[in-house]
Amino acid sequence: LGVETEATSTTANTFSDVPNSNWAAGYISKAARLGIVSGYGDGKFGPEDSVTQQQIIKMIVCAMDYESKADELGGWFSGYLSVAQELGIVSSDEIVTSDEASRWQVSMYIFNCIHDRWE
C-alpha cells in the first residue's frame, strides 16, 4: 500500500495490548487507521493471536478498499467472501473457515490479490 515508511515511524499506540516496543506496533497502528484491522472491539488487538482464514480475507478486502462493497453484499463474513471471490482472491468453490490461516494460505490470497494487477 506504500505506507511502510509511515508505519515504521509510527509510535502511536492504538491498542492497549500492543506495546510500542512490539516489532509490529507501527504496522498494526497504521492498519487500524486505514480500517484494515479493528481489533476485538475492547481496545485489544491480540498481537500474538493466530489469524483466521476469514480475518485475512477481510483484511485483504479492506486493504483493497472494497469494504463498503462487502458491507453492501452482507458484511461479515458473506459480503467479504463474495468480494474476494469476485476479485479472484479465492475461488468460488473454496471453503474459507474460521480456522487458523496457514502461511501458504495467506501467501496464496495475497498473490491472487496482486497477480492480475502486475500483468
Side-chain angles (χ1 to χ4, degrees), residues 57-105:
I57 291 296
K58 188 258 185 196
M59 287 186 264
I60 292 170
V61 168
C62 290
M64 294 180 68
D65 203 24
Y66 283 92
E67 183 173 18
S68 60
K69 183 169 186 176
D71 287 339
E72 290 172 14
L73 294 173
W76 183 262
F77 173 72
S78 62
Y80 290 91
L81 181 59
S82 294
V83 170
Q85 289 170 337
E86 182 179 314
L87 295 174
I89 298 167
V90 297
S91 65
S92 60
D93 61 347
E94 186 172 346
I95 298 171
V96 178
T97 69
S98 60
D99 293 339
E100 179 179 338
S102 65
R103 288 177 186 252
W104 73 264
Q105 286 171 314

Side-chain angles (χ1 to χ4, degrees), residues 39-62:
Y40 289 110
D42 60 356
K44 295 187 179 183
F45 180 76
E48 302 302 322
D49 295 353
S50 298
V51 66
T52 69
Q53 295 168 27
Q54 292 176 342
Q55 290 167 333
I56 194 65
I57 291 296
K58 188 258 185 196
M59 287 186 264
I60 292 170
V61 168
C62 290

